[in-house]
């Protein structure tokens, strides 16, 4: 389908009459039999069967060819001109048919034509070039087996880049590194990073464990499960590749199983009472699944509201981590979840929350907060978005490493950044700069310039 057509569809989907909470349609379209949330658990937790490595017959062999990252280093070493936006390496003839769940589903901005048009609405040539450089840094730090590690020093790097992370989840690192490629429209079928993405997806699928409760990719933490599910759903949505469908659906099934049946949230382990950060990733995964046209259970989605209610304060304007003690980063996550769960732009809690983020402004070092708050303000649009974006975008462009092996990456010295290190900071910074086209804004039709 033509990109222009897709945009038109997106506008149609998101243009419900003002005040009707158009976002609800995005994720709750199937919510016909709404459960009574005041009653007892909606999900009964069964024990996890000991997982078996999935002997995936459909998994074709890992591509033998290692992606060539030398052009990137010629640029970094000044032997070649920097990447120019406009001379986009994404060639439209490589795109074939963008099919599957993409139409009217929120991912339409990622096609090359749409990307270059939408990037002009808030992005700059410099921010788009920064995205491309960041992706090359990620590609250069992929391991031979297709995975990434938060300790990025293996392979070509040999410790040339500082700030390795300490977290050991390879599925979390791999999914977090893959997400920015998909966010810019690069899949395992299209664009210049095909091999990198294919190898990464291959690795994720090789780690998938089949259980009686769905496909377990958590490798010790539900963070990884949520991230991996997002990537699998997006890859399926963007390509229609049937060989990914089952594992994506199974990953969503495991998320549904792992929800705290009483409180509605998620934490590190299945069934635990939730926290806001882990819950945020699971809801984003369910949303990605819905955008991909996969089956997402409406009781699971609706129950997330109960968790958010338990950590909110100021009428839904602020959110805590495990309780109502509000923090900036969890407030941004909570507000984004509320937007996806259908709060209209006229909701007083949402309005007050956006005002709070607007007054607080981007953080100089907390990329977790910046990543979520940028999405909240992009969906919100208006003068608050413009104010936020001008600062956020220019800060990220200015702070990207420009020299040596670190060229293209980011690192901010924040207490929460140590675990994920340079890889985590780089992935979040790239996705923050992809905000213009990664997801279509939810309230596009319902805000008026003032
Ligand atoms: Zn390096």
């Amino acid at each position: 389908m033509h990109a222009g057509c897709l945009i038109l569809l997106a506008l149609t989907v998101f243009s419900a009459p003002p005040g009707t909470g158009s976002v609800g349609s995005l994720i709750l379209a199937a919510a016909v039999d709404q459960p009574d949330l005041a009653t007892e658990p909606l999900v009964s937790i069964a024990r996890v069967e000991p997982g078996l490595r999935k002997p995936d017959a459909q998994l074709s062999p890992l591509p033998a060819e290692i992606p060539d990252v030398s052009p990137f280093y010629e640029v970094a070493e000044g032997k070649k001109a920097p990447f120019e936006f406009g001379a986009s390496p994404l060639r439209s003839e490589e795109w074939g048919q963008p099919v599957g769940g993409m139409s009217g589903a929120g991912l339409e901005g990622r096609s090359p034509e749409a990307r270059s048009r939408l990037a002009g609405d808030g992005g700059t040539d410099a921010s788009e070039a920064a995205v491309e450089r960041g992706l090359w840094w990620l590609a250069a730090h992929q391991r031979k087996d297709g995975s990434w590690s938060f300790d990025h020093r293996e392979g070509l790097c040999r410790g040339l880049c500082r700030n390795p992370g300490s977290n050991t989840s390879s599925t979390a690192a791999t999914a977090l590194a893959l997400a920015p490629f998909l966010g810019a429209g690069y899949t395992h079928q299209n664009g210049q990073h095909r091999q990198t993405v294919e190898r990464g997806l291959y690795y994720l699928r090789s780690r998938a464990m089949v259980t009686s409760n769905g496909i377990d990719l958590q490798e010790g933490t539900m963070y990884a499960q949520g991230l991996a599910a997002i990537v699998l759903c997006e890859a399926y949505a963007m390509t229609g590749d049937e060989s990914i469908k089952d594992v994506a659906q199974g990953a969503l099934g495991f998320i549904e199983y792992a929800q705290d049946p009483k409180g509605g949230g998620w934490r590190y382990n299945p069934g635990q009472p939730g926290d806001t950060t882990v819950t945020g990733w699971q809801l984003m995964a369910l949303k990605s699944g819905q955008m991909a046209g996969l089956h997402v259970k409406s009781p699971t989605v609706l129950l997330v509201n109960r968790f958010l209610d338990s950590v909110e304060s100021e009428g839904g304007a602020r959110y805590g981590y495990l309780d109502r003690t509000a923090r900036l980063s969890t407030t941004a996550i909570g507000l984004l979840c509320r937007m996806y769960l259908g709060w209209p732009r006229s909701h007083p809690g949402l309005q007050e929350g956006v005002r709070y983020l607007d007054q607080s402004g981007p953080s100089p070092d907390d990329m977790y907060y910046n990543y979520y708050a940028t999405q909240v303000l992009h969906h919100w649009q208006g003068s608050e978005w413009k104010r936020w974006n001008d600062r956020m975008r220019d800060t990220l462009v200015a702070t990207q490493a420009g020299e040596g092996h670190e060229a293209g990456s980011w690192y901010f010295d924040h207490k929460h950044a140590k675990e994920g290190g340079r890889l985590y900071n780089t992935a979040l910074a790239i996705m923050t700069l992809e905000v213009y086209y990664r997801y279509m804004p939810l309230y596009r039709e319902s805000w008026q310039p003032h």
Side-chain angles (χ1 to χ4, degrees):
M1 194 179 291
H2 192 271
C5 214
L6 293 172
I7 297 300
L8 198 67
L9 272 167
L11 293 173
T12 313
V13 166
F14 294 130
S15 62
T20 56
S22 61
V23 285
S25 62
L26 185 68
I27 196 156
L28 299 177
V32 201
D33 49 349
Q34 178 165 345
D36 178 7
L37 293 181
T39 58
E40 270 308 281
L42 295 160
V43 189
S44 62
I45 294 281
R47 278 180 56 82
V48 192
E49 298 296 321
L52 294 169
R53 285 271 175 268
K54 190 185 181 195
D56 190 339
Q58 289 178 318
L59 211 51
S60 49
L62 194 63
E65 207 179 325
I66 303 285
D68 178 17
V69 294
S70 55
F72 171 70
Y73 285 102
E74 286 169 19
V75 172
E77 289 160 14
K79 292 178 191 161
K80 259 192 184 174
F83 295 106
E84 293 289 343
F85 177 62
S88 167
L90 273 174
R91 293 192 300 274
S92 55
E93 67 268 24
E94 289 184 319
W95 267 73
Q97 297 280 328
V99 292
M102 269 187 74
S103 46
L107 303 179
E108 305 87 306
R110 301 179 184 196
S111 74
E113 298 83 2
R115 177 182 165 188
S116 53
R117 182 157 29 82
L118 293 166
D121 187 20
T124 58
D125 290 1
S127 72
E128 281 291 272
V131 167
E132 295 301 323
R133 280 195 297 270
L135 294 175
W136 278 111
W137 185 86
L138 289 175
H141 291 79
Q142 188 177 30
R143 298 193 289 191
K144 277 190 179 142
D145 62 1
S147 70
W148 278 266
S149 167
F150 287 117
D151 183 347
H152 56 252
R153 295 173 296 183
E154 277 183 33
L156 287 173
C157 185
R158 294 188 193 88
L160 292 170
C161 299
R162 296 164 292 172
N163 318 109
S166 58
N167 187 292
T168 56
S169 172
S170 68
T171 52
T174 302
L176 194 60
L178 281 172
F181 288 98
L182 297 168
Y186 296 106
T187 70
H188 58 300
Q189 295 181 353
N190 302 299
Q192 64 181 350
H193 293 293
R194 278 192 303 270
Q195 290 167 11
T196 300
V197 176
E198 183 175 0
R199 295 163 63 80
L201 290 173
Y202 179 96
Y203 180 80
L204 277 188
R205 291 163 67 189
S206 76
R207 302 296 292 174
M209 311 222 293
V210 180
T211 78
S212 56
N213 301 302
I215 288 184
D216 178 353
L217 283 150
Q218 55 173 333
E219 222 178 56
T221 164
M222 283 299 292
Y223 274 111
Q225 181 76 26
L227 284 163
I230 289 170
V231 162
L232 292 165
C233 290
E234 289 189 358
Y236 171 61
M238 293 172 72
T239 62
D241 180 350
E242 286 289 323
S243 74
I244 303 176
K245 186 177 182 180
D246 288 350
V247 66
Q249 183 68 67
L252 294 175
F254 193 86
I255 288 173
E256 289 166 347
Y257 147 76
Q259 186 177 34
D260 166 21
K262 284 194 175 143
W266 287 265
R267 201 141 195 242
Y268 307 121
N269 299 310
Q272 277 187 312
D275 73 54
T276 305
T277 61
V278 176
T279 299
W281 290 115
Q282 314 312 314
L283 185 64
M284 296 309 133
L286 296 170
K287 178 184 75 72
S288 304
Q290 191 271 344
M291 291 194 295
L294 296 169
H295 183 65
V296 175
K297 287 181 188 162
S298 47
T300 305
V301 173
L302 291 167
L303 199 56
V304 180
N305 281 307
R306 187 192 284 178
F307 170 75
L308 294 171
D309 290 346
S310 74
V311 293
E312 74 165 29
S313 57
E314 313 272 334
R318 302 193 190 188
Y319 295 83
Y321 176 57
L322 296 167
D323 55 29
R324 298 185 197 278
T325 312
R327 305 181 191 187
L328 258 181
S329 56
T330 48
T331 292
I333 298 166
L335 292 170
L336 185 63
C337 290
R338 292 295 201 187
M339 286 177 151
Y340 280 122
L341 289 167
W343 276 15
R345 206 169 183 275
S346 57
H347 193 291
L350 191 52
Q351 292 186 338
E352 180 55 34
V354 167
R355 198 172 305 133
Y356 176 52
L357 298 184
D358 180 33
Q359 285 163 2
S360 303
S363 162
D365 54 9
D366 184 352
M367 275 313 296
Y368 210 86
Y369 161 67
N370 286 337
Y371 169 70
Y372 275 104
T374 298
Q375 291 180 74
V376 169
L377 286 152
H378 179 244
H379 286 311
W380 185 260
Q381 297 281 309
S383 56
E384 296 89 346
W385 160 240
K386 185 170 177 1
R387 199 155 38 235
W388 175 280
N389 180 51
D390 285 348
R391 290 176 61 190
M392 186 78 262
R393 178 197 62 218
D394 294 347
T395 299
L396 288 178
V397 168
T399 50
Q400 188 176 34
E403 288 179 3
H405 215 258
E406 288 180 358
S409 68
W410 282 266
Y411 186 75
F412 300 99
D413 195 12
H414 182 263
K415 61 184 174 184
H416 291 145
K418 304 271 188 282
E419 265 200 77
R422 188 169 289 274
L423 184 88
Y424 152 95
N425 274 283
T426 300
L428 290 182
I430 298 170
M431 287 193 282
T432 301
L433 290 175
E434 290 172 348
V435 66
Y436 319 107
Y437 41 82
R438 189 162 170 253
Y439 298 121
M440 304 306 290
L442 290 168
Y443 303 101
R444 176 174 286 242
E445 293 300 294
S446 62
W447 76 273
Q448 300 297 322
H450 47 267

